[in-house]
Each structure stands twice: as structure tokens, then as C-alpha cells.
């Protein structure tokens, strides 16, 4: 049987006072002796509740500008003493140390202070010492002590104490201890990352709060969990529970659509774009994005970088899509899109993707900076005797954005800022070119005047030869092959404009 342990004494010392009043009143109802410090002590007393200053217990005042308040044996002894240990009990009696059964402590807002742009001295002062020590001590001794380490637990605490006449079970105390160690672990990780700013090769530490259990992982036989705050990125307006594969596609869609400023529609399938178009309005952008590959679009994800109106919603609604992403929907558009019960409709919020990406492998973690380079016209180096026109440069930059977000080896064909064919995830670059051409022809696109983007250099001239044979007359690529001259020479002999970016965009 899980023995219920009563709360007779409590230590309360918190930075955030909201929601605390109801807890204090409940402790008063059960005649719990309260020890407290500083502003928390004033808060408790202003509620008309008796409380003892920790200074009265320790015989020492708060010193060093508040840096030392609770770091004293009379505080930690009362928390760490094992109630079933005769020696511990004897020492408590010898040194007049009261047992402390409940500890309510939260931590200085270190992360919020860093994000606020505060000075280094202000940030350092928000590194909590006493609070972390109290939390760890109480959590360690969960067999005898109940630790409440953040204000979100107040509701559960009140429920436990009210239902059990101010007593808690071992299992409840252990659960609160688990949550307490999560708090201190996350806090220490944030401090470590502040001091270890950048990619200094010391240790990999990451703490992501928030958990979303998924129906399964990539496949039904695999378990899957998402750690993170999805709600800070999106508001889900409609649809079924989001899956592991949905999340992968959503991430890829957001990374791509954020690259465009003008009205653009992106359609993705398995993390790769199968339709992209930039136009003066979303109606035309939708029509031309879908035309890029209407077969692959089925069951995919749509991302739009502007408001979805009724006319576009009606067209989208004719096809099965798993997810729709946009910053805004008109009421009539939303009504239309919600007619499909399971369709996931997301309203994207104004958030920034992380600057660093991670991937687990070989029982370790790969860490790298996100590929945030976005080429512009003044970054292009013309390497052929024929220079691209302004219209070609516009198409080349458009295609280069898409190929950057496509699985390597990747080739993208574009014309008039419309994706007309792509070859992705191929083991050879020339195969990627063949696949892109095959796709374009399958949907009746005229490749004459199209442009080609490659995520990496051409090892041989065969890729540009093949593209030229189909009508492509401008190429963008990183350059850097020992055989660059072969491709350049072919382009010069056939009136093709080629530009180098100097930036490779592998994506695996």
C-alpha cells in the first residue's frame, strides 16, 4: 500500500507569484507551518497568512544582494533528512532543524532574460543558485518531500492536498521529482548553451520542452514522439491528428515557402516540391503550381504565403491534400476547406526556424548550421560568353531556391517562375536531369527557353548536353568541378548562358 505522508511544514520561495495565493490559502486551511523568503514572504503575509522568515530559522540574513538566502544546513538539513533514518532524525533534533515536507520553488527567468537582449551582467544575475539547489535536494528526497518546481503544477498540487487531507503518496512525490529534475536539467542546459554559444566542439546538449505523442513513427510499427512547441508555430484550425510524416512535410514546406516574398504556392510530397509557382495573385499561382505535377500533388501538402480566398479554396478542395498551410484564410475559404473532415488546416504564425539542425546517427548526433544562403543576382558569376537576360536571371534564382530544398542529387527545370520538372534523390546527376526532363514532358511542358538549376557541380558535360537537346538555354550551378571547362565550352559553343553561384546546396 502506498503510504500517504502529511505535509506539516512548507518552504515557499518563488520568483513568479501568480497562482500562488490559492496554494497558500489551502496550506493555511490545513495549519501548515510556512517558511519563506524576501518578496515571497511579503506576498504570503499580505494574504493575511502567518509565515516565518528563513532568516529566523537560519540566524543569518539574506546577504550579497540576495545571492545567499537559503543555502544553510537548517534549510537543507530539513529537506534532505531521511525520516526513517535514526541518525538523521537525531541530528535534526540536536541542531534544532525542522523537517520540511513541501518545497515550492521556481527559478529566475534565465532564458527570458537572454532573449530580452539584457546585458551580460544582468544575465549572470539570473543564474539561479539557491533555487536549483533546493529543487534538487527536495527531488532527491522524494520519499519524504513533495517538490513543486513550477507554477503550472499548482493545480495538481491543490488537487492532491484537497483530496487527501494535505497528504501525498510516494508515487505522486516521485512524479513531481521527475518533473523537477526536468526543470533543473533544462535550466542548466540553457546556461551551458549561453556560455557555449556557437558550435564549439565541447558537448552536445539540447533541451526541448513540450511533447506530442504521435500515433506512430514513419511507419505503423514504429513508435514516434515530437518534442517541441508546435503551437508556437501553428494554430491547427481543422483536421485529424498530425502524424510523423506530416511533420516532416510541414517542416520542408515551411522552409521552402519562407524563401518567397511574392505570391507563391508550393505543393510538396515526401519532402520534395512537386509544384511551385510565383505569380501576381494566388489564383494563378495555384493553377500553375498544380500544373507542375498534378499526379504527385495528390495526397501532398500545400503551402501558401498569403491569404487563402474562396476562389483558391474551391480549387484546392477538388483534390485530396493532407495539409494546407497559410498565414490567413477568409471565412468562406475556411468553410470550404473544412468540408473534408480529416484535412489538416494550419494557420502559420510568425516564427523563425532554428539556426541549427540536428540528425541522429551512429548512436550520436550530427549538428550543422541551417543552409540559409539565398543567392541574389549580384552573387552570380557569368562564366559563358552568353549572358543571361533579366528574365532568365529571375527564373534561375527561382529554380535555385527550389533545388536548394530538394533531395540530392537534384535538378530543377523552371520557366516563367514555374516549376516544370524536377529530378530528386538520384544517385547520379545525369539521371536527375533525365528524370526532370521526363517529368516536364509528361505534363506537356515546352522546354524551349527553360532554365536548369543544379544543387551541385556537373562532373561531366553530359548534363548540359542533355538539357540543351531539349531546349534549355540557361543554367545555374555552384561550379567547382575539375571539369567545369567542359560544361562551359559546350555552353559557349551552343549559345547557353551559365552562371556559377559558388554555393553548393546538398540536402540528404
Amino acid at each position: 500500500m502506498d503510504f500517504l505522508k502529511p505535509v506539516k511544514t512548507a518552504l515557499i520561495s518563488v520568483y513568479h507569484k501568480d497562482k500562488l495565493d490559492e496554494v497558500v490559502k489551502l496550506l493555511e486551511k490545513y495549519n501548515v507551518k510556512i517558511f519563506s523568503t524576501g518578496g515571497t514572504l511579503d506576498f504570503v503575509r499580505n494574504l493575511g497568512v502567518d509565515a516565518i522568515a528563513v532568516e529566523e530559522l537560519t540566524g543569518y540574513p539574506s546577504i550579497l544582494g540576495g545571492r545567499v538566502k537559503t543555502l544553510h544546513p537548517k534549510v537543507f538539513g530539513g529537506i534532505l533528512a531521511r525520516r526513517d533514518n535514526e541518525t538523521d532524525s537525531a541530528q535534526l533534533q540536536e541542531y534544532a532543524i525542522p523537517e520540511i515536507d513541501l518545497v515550492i520553488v521556481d527559478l529566475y527567468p534565465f532564458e527570458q532574460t537572454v532573449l530580452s537582449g539584457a546585458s551580460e551582467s544582468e544575465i549572470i544575475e539570473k543564474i539561479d543558485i539557491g533555487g536549483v539547489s533546493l529543487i534538487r535536494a527536495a527531488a532527491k528526497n522524494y520519499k519524504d518531500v513533495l517538490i513543486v518546481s513550477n507554477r503550472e503544477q499548482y493545480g495538481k498540487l491543490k488537487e492532491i492536498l484537497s483530496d487527501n487531507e494535505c497528504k501525498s503518496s510516494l508515487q505522486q512525490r516521485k512524479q513531481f521529482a521527475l518533473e523537477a529534475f526536468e526543470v533543473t536539467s533544462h535550466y542548466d542546459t540553457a546556461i551551458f548553451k549561453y556560455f557555449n554559444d556557437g558550435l564549439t566542439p565541447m558537448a552536445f546538449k539540447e533541451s526541448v520542452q513540450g511533447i506530442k505523442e504521435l500515433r506512430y513513427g514513419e511507419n505503423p510499427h514504429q513508435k514516434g514522439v515530437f518534442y517541441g512547441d508546435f503551437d508556437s508555430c501553428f494554430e491547427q484550425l481543422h483536421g485529424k491528428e498530425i502524424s510523423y510524416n506530416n511533420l516532416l512535410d510541414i517542416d520542408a514546406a515551411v522552409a521552402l515557402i519562407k524563401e518567397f516574398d511574392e505570391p507563391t504556392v508550393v505543393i510538396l510530397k515526401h519532402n520534395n516540391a512537386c509544384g511551385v509557382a510565383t505569380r501576381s495573385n494566388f489564383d494563378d499561382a495555384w493553377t500553375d503550381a498544380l500544373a507542375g505535377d498534378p499526379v504527385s500533388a495528390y495526397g501532398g501538402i500545400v503551402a501558401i504565403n498569403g491569404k487563402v480566398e474562396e476562389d483558391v479554396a474551391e480549387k484546392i478542395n477538388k483534390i485530396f491534400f493532407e495539409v494546407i498551410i497559410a498565414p490567413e484564410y477568409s471565412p468562406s475559404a475556411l468553410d470550404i476547406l473544412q468540408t473534408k473532415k480529416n484535412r489538416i488546416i494550419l494557420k502559420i504564425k510568425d516564427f523563425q526556424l532554428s539556426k541549427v539542425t540536428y540528425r541522429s546517427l551512429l548512436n550520436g548526433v550530427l549538428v550543422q548550421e541551417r543552409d540559409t544562403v539565398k543567392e541574389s543576382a549580384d552573387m552570380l558569376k557569368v562564366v559563358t560568353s552568353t549572358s543571361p537576360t533579366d528574365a532568365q536571371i529571375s527564373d534561375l534564382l527561382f529554380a535555385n531556391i527550389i533545388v536548394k530544398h530538394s533531395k540530392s542529387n537534384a535538378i530543377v527545370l523552371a520557366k516563367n517562375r514555374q516549376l516544370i520538372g524536377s529530378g530528386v534523390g538520384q544517385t547520379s546527376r545525369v539521371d536527375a536531369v533525365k528524370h526532370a526532363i521526363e517529368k516536364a514532358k509528361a505534363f506537356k511542358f515546352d522546354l524551349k527557353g527553360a532554365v536548369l538549376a543544379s544543387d551541385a557541380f556537373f562532373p561531366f558535360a553530359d548534363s548540359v548536353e542533355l538539357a540543351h537537346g531539349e531546349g534549355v538555354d540557361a543554367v545555374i550551378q555552384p561550379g567547382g568541378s575539375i571539369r567545369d571547362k567542359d560544361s562551359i565550352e559546350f555552353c559557349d559553343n551552343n549559345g547557353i548562358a551559365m552562371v556559377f553561384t559558388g554555393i553548393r546546396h546538398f540536402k540528404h
Side-chain angles (χ1 to χ4, degrees):
M1 181 178 177
D2 192 351
F3 176 70
L4 295 177
K5 186 172 282 292
V7 172
K8 298 179 180 179
T9 59
L11 170 65
I12 309 176
S13 181
V14 297
Y15 184 89
H16 302 97
K17 312 297 189 298
D18 51 308
K19 303 181 181 180
L20 181 62
D21 54 338
E22 294 180 8
V23 173
V24 172
K25 289 290 188 181
L26 183 62
L27 295 178
E28 181 190 35
K29 173 184 174 181
Y30 288 107
N31 299 314
V32 175
K33 181 184 291 186
I34 297 175
F35 295 98
S36 192
T37 64
T40 308
L41 177 65
D42 294 337
F43 179 86
V44 173
R45 286 176 173 173
N46 287 336
L47 293 173
V49 177
D50 289 335
I52 303 169
V54 166
E55 290 88 343
E56 293 181 33
L57 172 64
T58 64
Y60 281 85
S62 173
I63 61 173
L64 306 181
R67 282 189 166 196
V68 180
K69 289 181 285 192
T70 56
L71 296 169
H72 193 281
K74 282 204 169 184
V75 175
F76 281 86
I79 295 171
L80 286 166
R82 295 158 290 191
R83 310 307 198 249
D84 59 356
N85 184 294
E86 292 183 3
T87 301
D88 286 7
S89 297
Q91 288 182 334
L92 290 184
Q93 189 170 11
E94 178 182 357
Y95 297 108
I97 299 174
E99 294 178 349
I100 296 175
D101 308 308
L102 169 65
V103 175
I104 303 176
V105 173
D106 64 8
L107 302 175
Y108 292 157
F110 177 81
E111 289 178 280
Q112 293 87 337
T113 304
V114 172
L115 292 173
S116 73
S119 66
E120 183 174 9
S121 61
E122 291 174 305
I123 291 170
I124 297 303
E125 286 307 310
K126 286 299 185 288
I127 298 178
D128 207 314
I129 304 300
V132 171
S133 301
L134 289 167
I135 290 172
R136 289 177 61 85
K140 175 178 180 177
N141 201 26
Y142 71 88
K143 286 187 177 180
D144 297 304
V145 180
L146 178 59
I147 171 63
V148 177
S149 53
N150 72 77
R151 53 191 161 172
E152 301 305 320
Q153 296 174 313
Y154 289 171
K156 185 64 175 177
L157 173 66
K158 290 188 296 180
E159 180 184 328
I160 290 172
L161 298 184
S162 297
D163 290 348
N164 299 293
E165 296 184 341
C166 209
K167 298 174 184 176
S168 65
S169 69
L170 178 62
Q171 185 58 42
Q172 288 165 341
R173 294 192 297 277
K174 189 171 185 179
Q175 178 61 38
F176 272 69
L178 169 64
E179 294 173 21
F181 283 123
E182 191 279 324
V183 167
T184 59
S185 172
H186 180 81
Y187 197 76
D188 285 340
T189 297
I191 295 170
F192 172 83
K193 290 179 69 177
Y194 171 74
F195 281 95
N196 192 49
D197 187 28
L199 295 174
T200 306
M202 181 178 289
F204 174 77
K205 294 185 185 295
E206 189 66 35
S207 177
V208 181
Q209 292 183 313
I211 181 171
K212 184 179 180 66
E213 292 191 17
L214 307 174
R215 284 173 294 165
Y216 50 80
E218 202 160 5
N219 299 293
H221 63 279
Q222 296 170 274
K223 292 182 179 179
V225 176
F226 171 69
Y227 292 97
D229 187 0
F230 185 83
D231 292 339
S232 69
C233 304
F234 301 95
E235 178 184 355
Q236 184 169 350
L237 303 177
H238 182 74
K240 64 182 180 180
E241 184 181 346
I242 295 172
S243 71
Y244 181 101
N245 291 327
N246 288 154
L247 288 169
L248 290 175
D249 282 334
I250 290 167
D251 180 68
V254 169
L256 178 53
I257 197 66
K258 278 180 173 286
E259 298 267 21
F260 297 97
D261 298 318
E262 297 179 72
T264 300
V265 173
V266 167
I267 304 173
L268 274 92
K269 191 75 168 287
H270 293 296
N271 308 155
N272 291 299
C274 58
V276 184
T278 297
R279 294 291 180 262
S280 61
N281 61 79
F282 290 109
D283 194 349
D284 291 342
W286 162 257
T287 299
D288 292 340
L290 179 63
D293 187 347
V295 174
S296 296
Y298 182 86
I301 283 186
V302 177
I304 301 174
N305 63 352
K307 185 177 182 178
V308 179
E309 297 285 4
E310 182 177 345
D311 55 348
V312 175
E314 287 178 341
K315 294 179 180 180
I316 293 174
N317 204 44
K318 295 177 182 178
I319 302 171
F320 168 63
F321 287 105
E322 287 266 356
V323 183
I324 312 294
I325 303 170
E328 190 176 0
Y329 303 83
S330 71
S332 57
L334 197 56
D335 287 342
I336 292 168
L337 295 174
Q338 288 177 334
T339 58
K340 298 296 195 312
K341 181 178 69 173
N342 291 326
R343 177 184 287 148
I344 298 166
I345 303 175
L346 300 177
K347 182 178 180 180
I348 189 170
K349 298 180 180 180
D350 184 17
F351 75 97
Q352 299 299 316
L353 293 169
S354 64
K355 296 179 181 179
V356 179
T357 63
Y358 313 106
R359 178 176 290 186
S360 62
L361 51 78
L362 299 175
N363 299 327
V365 180
L366 271 179
V367 181
Q368 69 169 352
E369 296 175 334
R370 184 179 294 276
D371 184 356
T372 58
V373 174
K374 183 179 179 180
E375 288 80 358
S376 57
D378 58 357
M379 295 171 63
L380 305 181
K381 178 183 178 181
V382 179
V383 295
T384 51
S385 54
T386 300
S387 295
T389 65
D390 289 345
Q392 287 175 324
I393 290 174
S394 177
D395 274 351
L396 289 169
L397 293 173
F398 173 86
N400 199 61
I401 289 172
I402 301 170
V403 84
K404 167 186 167 182
H405 291 272
S406 302
K407 298 292 185 182
S408 301
N409 288 313
I411 292 290
V412 163
L413 297 172
K415 187 175 180 180
N416 300 325
R417 294 196 296 178
Q418 178 187 17
L419 172 62
I420 62 173
S422 63
V424 299
Q426 301 299 306
T427 51
S428 74
R429 193 148 304 279
V430 70
D431 280 347
V433 175
K434 291 176 182 177
H435 190 214
I437 291 170
E438 180 184 340
K439 277 280 188 181
K441 287 183 172 182
F443 300 110
K444 311 301 180 184
F445 284 106
D446 180 5
L447 287 169
K448 186 176 181 180
V451 305
L452 179 150
S454 176
D455 64 335
F457 64 63
F458 296 113
F460 304 101
D462 52 359
S463 292
V464 291
E465 292 171 2
L466 188 59
H468 170 67
E470 300 295 338
V472 171
D473 57 13
V475 175
I476 185 170
Q477 60 138 321
S481 168
I482 59 173
R483 294 178 176 270
D484 276 346
K485 60 180 178 59
D486 294 349
S487 296
I488 294 171
E489 183 179 346
F490 179 85
C491 289
D492 280 339
N493 292 337
N494 291 275
I496 301 172
M498 179 181 283
V499 297
F500 283 4
T501 65
I503 305 292
R504 188 181 73 185
H505 288 300
F506 270 167
K507 187 168 184 259
H508 296 105

